[in-house]
């Protein structure tokens, strides 16, 4: 909004041109990434201040809706995406909110690294008014893509750098993964359980899984490592992890599974091994996806996330000009049924 | 390609303008739909001849790929689409072929009638180079949408008018539903089965279901109506239909289920009722989707469709300038396993 950019809001490109560096260098400086020389960092910061560049994509709002469409992009292969009840529900929320703004979703796919160029070009090509990006992994290439866009961007899931810092340039909507996990484990403690195991998601790769494990450790800082088993958010993985836990610690009396699908697998293994739920082993899941929790035996105690609302909030952040703060962490709550 | 359109290939719009009628009237005349006055039909036909209008969208090829994207649109709600293994596989085929042409898919959604306007506007807005449309129902509004587009269009599934005639203006790729059903039923006859029932899809709504029922009737023109039970292509529907058939005709000795999912449900009911498969009742499915057929007990004899190839062919028809004929019916073949 200064004379340097002739009244336009300055873009990342303006900063790069004036500082005489590449756009990705500007993006690295803005996001606080390492491996940029100190004098370059200083130079870029000076230009950012001079131009009044606001490194928040969400600040450039969908005021003029030229295409009537918002891109939805997830860094998961197509078939995993289609079978993910969480994504199905989140996308429904995004689409419902978009519809209320007279806009619609177009879904693009990122099955393998070759797809990135095409998707990035499409997003930059004026075919969409904004982008809702679902990032699962710290250091995801989606962040880099987002930095280069001149349209509003919102992330589903907190966007993280490889070193675990939050990317500050973009708005995001996330669930309270850590707080929800704490509620689940506190509930098991309150029931008098003393040997509480956890089946985790891929915590070395996905932020939500790392946060849910952190919540378990918040409540049980002294838990034995043998009570933690890593799985992959699938039912089959949950079943195998439960078997491994029972082999190692036959006397365990509770398990917190970091997703409903994994909890379903755990229930199956417990049944096969003749353990009664909740009498012998209490089980708590995470997500509260009705497709799953309606059909478990016994009904699953789990941590509820309002996934559709999270999707709606993502779309709203693209449209809301005065969103402060630009990011939202949606609370979770424990839903007590019979499994714990 | 005449002087009337200054060297451009004439469009539906050119015909409409010159004939002094609306584009939808031209489209109705071209598609042979009823309810157009005879003199209007004559007038439009004259202009079509004068301008040399070719009413085949596929003839206008993706020579210049401006956007690098092709829209994929299906007239099914999002959650049904995501859980449909047939669509998952077909879309994979479309995307793989597009990738080989340096293009990608963008998926748009049609959950309810309100979505049509937005999707139609997006397709007409220059944001995609072509469109792959999945039509399930005769008289589907997707056909009307396709008629108004100036980009190449290909249908998955034969596009039908409400009166059952094939829409001639657009290329399509379809499986040989009727021929496949005939193979299935002929196999049961060859096994010596004499009381062969069928569980159908929603044949009053979906073309594939009507064709599969027609194949059954081709082989068994005198079959009792009590041996036919209509379901909805779901596992639950297949289970209920099997129960209804057994209640009405306890002595039946074979069943042709018009989809693998329905066959899975039928196997469950047969097991619950104590019928041995194939000894008491032989079962044949349709589709040969590995996700399903790998896990049935006993392994399912079924009609194989090469669904990924169908998806690839759809994309190829958008790119292939000399595709003659512009539509393809992909053959099916029986895969014998243990259930029949």
């Amino acid at each position: 909004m200064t004379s340097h950019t002739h009244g336009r809001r300055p873009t990342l490109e303006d900063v790069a041109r004036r500082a005489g560096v590449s756009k990705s260098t500007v993006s690295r400086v803005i996001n606080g990434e390492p491996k940029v020389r100190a004098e370059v960092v200083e130079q870029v910061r000076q230009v950012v201040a001079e131009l009044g560049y606001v490194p928040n994509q969400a600040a450039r709002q969908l005021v003029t809706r030229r295409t009537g469409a918002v891109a939805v992009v997830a860094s998961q292969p197509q078939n995993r995406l289609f079978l993910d009840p969480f994504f199905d529900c989140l996308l429904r929320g995004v689409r419902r909110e978009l519809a209320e703004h007279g806009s619609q979703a177009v879904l693009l796919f990122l099955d393998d690294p070759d797809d990135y160029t095409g998707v990035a070009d499409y997003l930059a090509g004026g075919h969409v008014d904004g982008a809702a990006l679902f990032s699962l992994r710290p250091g995801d290439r989606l962040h880099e893509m987002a930095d280069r866009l001149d349209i509003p961007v919102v992330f589903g899931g907190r966007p993280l750098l490889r070193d675990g810092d939050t990317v500050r340039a973009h708005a995001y909507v996330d669930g309270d993964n850590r707080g929800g996990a704490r509620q689940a484990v506190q509930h098991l403690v309150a029931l008098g359980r003393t040997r509480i195991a956890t089946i985790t998601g891929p915590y070395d790769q996905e932020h939500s899984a790392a946060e849910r494990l952190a919540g378990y450790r918040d409540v049980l800082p002294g838990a034995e490592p043998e009570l933690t088993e890593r799985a992959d958010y699938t039912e089959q993985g949950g079943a195998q992890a439960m078997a491994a836990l029972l082999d190692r610690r036959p006397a365990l009396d509770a398990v917190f599974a970091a997703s409903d699908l994994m909890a379903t697998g755990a229930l199956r293994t417990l049944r096969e091994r003749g353990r009664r739920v909740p009498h012998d082993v209490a089980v708590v899941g995470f997500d509260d996806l009705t497709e799953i929790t309606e059909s478990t035996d016994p009904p699953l105690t789990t941590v509820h996330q309002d996934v559709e609302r999270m999707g709606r909030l993502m779309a709203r952040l693209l449209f809301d000009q005065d969103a402060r703060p630009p990011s939202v962490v949606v609370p979770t709550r424990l839903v007590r049924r019979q499994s714990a």
Side-chain angles (χ1 to χ4, degrees), chain A:
Chain A
M1 298 296 191
T2 78
S3 60
H4 300 282
T5 52
H6 310 287
R8 289 190 290 110
R9 185 187 285 272
T11 65
L12 191 76
E13 197 151 22
D14 296 326
V15 176
R17 199 181 303 115
R18 195 173 173 82
V21 298
S22 72
K23 286 199 282 182
S24 67
T25 300
V26 176
S27 154
R28 279 202 297 276
V29 172
I30 286 165
N31 290 323
E33 288 187 47
K35 295 186 191 163
V36 185
R37 278 183 299 131
E39 60 262 40
V40 175
V41 171
E42 187 46 44
Q43 183 182 357
V44 169
R45 285 193 178 151
Q46 214 168 331
V47 173
V48 164
E50 261 174 52
L51 294 184
Y53 173 66
V54 180
N56 179 351
Q57 299 284 355
R60 278 176 256 142
Q61 300 296 340
L62 292 180
V63 180
T64 53
R65 268 161 276 146
R66 293 162 308 160
T67 70
V70 164
V72 176
V73 188
S75 53
Q76 278 199 97
Q78 175 197 314
N79 65 343
R80 195 173 152 193
L81 201 63
F82 278 13
L83 293 175
D84 182 348
F86 181 89
F87 180 76
D88 180 51
C89 191
L90 198 66
L91 178 59
R92 203 178 313 135
V94 170
R95 294 182 49 229
R96 287 193 174 147
E97 186 71 23
L98 288 178
E100 290 178 14
H101 289 82
S103 187
Q104 68 186 317
V106 300
L107 183 61
L108 289 98
F109 299 92
L110 285 176
D111 277 32
D112 61 66
D114 287 351
D115 296 332
Y116 273 83
T117 314
V119 168
D121 287 351
Y122 196 76
L123 295 187
H127 303 302
V128 292
D129 301 324
L133 308 178
F134 296 89
S135 169
L136 297 170
R137 292 175 171 73
D140 201 307
R141 287 181 61 191
L142 278 176
H143 311 146
E144 199 185 317
M145 189 188 287
D147 289 338
R148 294 165 188 223
L149 292 177
D150 277 335
I151 50 174
V153 168
V154 65
F155 275 89
R158 191 187 308 240
L160 293 179
L161 299 175
R162 256 172 292 271
D163 62 7
D165 276 358
T166 300
V167 173
R168 282 165 289 157
H170 306 292
Y172 67 83
V173 174
D174 202 1
D176 185 7
N177 291 295
R178 189 165 183 160
R182 273 200 299 261
Q183 290 174 63
V185 181
Q186 278 160 350
H187 175 64
L188 292 168
V189 170
L191 292 175
R193 306 291 163 139
T194 54
R195 291 174 299 277
I196 302 170
T198 186
I199 299 173
T200 78
Y203 54 79
D204 48 341
Q205 292 169 29
E206 299 191 14
H207 178 60
S208 66
E211 288 288 288
R212 292 173 194 183
L213 175 57
Y216 168 84
R217 288 178 176 160
D218 287 344
V219 181
L220 301 171
E224 298 174 84
E226 288 75 14
L227 285 169
T228 295
E229 182 69 18
R230 181 186 179 286
D232 57 356
Y233 279 145
T234 68
E235 180 173 348
Q236 186 58 24
Q240 287 166 355
M242 190 71 248
L245 288 166
L246 287 170
D247 290 344
R248 284 205 301 263
R249 290 290 180 271
L252 65 82
D253 59 7
V255 62
F256 163 55
S259 80
D260 291 344
L261 268 177
M262 294 196 296
T264 307
L267 288 174
R268 175 153 53 91
T269 297
L270 289 165
R271 196 162 44 239
E272 284 166 11
R273 301 273 184 110
R275 309 291 171 108
R276 290 163 300 168
V277 176
H279 188 273
D280 301 326
V281 180
V283 178
V284 181
F286 203 111
D287 287 332
D288 200 26
L289 295 165
T290 42
E291 296 91 324
I292 299 168
T293 52
E294 270 176 0
S295 59
T296 62
D297 174 28
L300 190 66
T301 294
T302 189
V303 178
H304 179 82
Q305 299 201 93
D306 193 343
V307 182
E308 182 173 328
R309 184 170 159 235
M310 289 165 69
R312 280 187 173 269
L313 282 169
M314 288 182 66
R316 213 171 293 160
L317 282 178
L318 290 174
F319 289 108
D320 186 355
Q321 297 208 39
D322 300 309
R324 292 284 179 280
S327 297
V328 184
V329 175
V330 177
T332 50
R333 66 186 161 79
L334 191 75
V335 178
R336 293 182 62 167
R337 298 195 184 93
Q338 290 170 35
S339 71

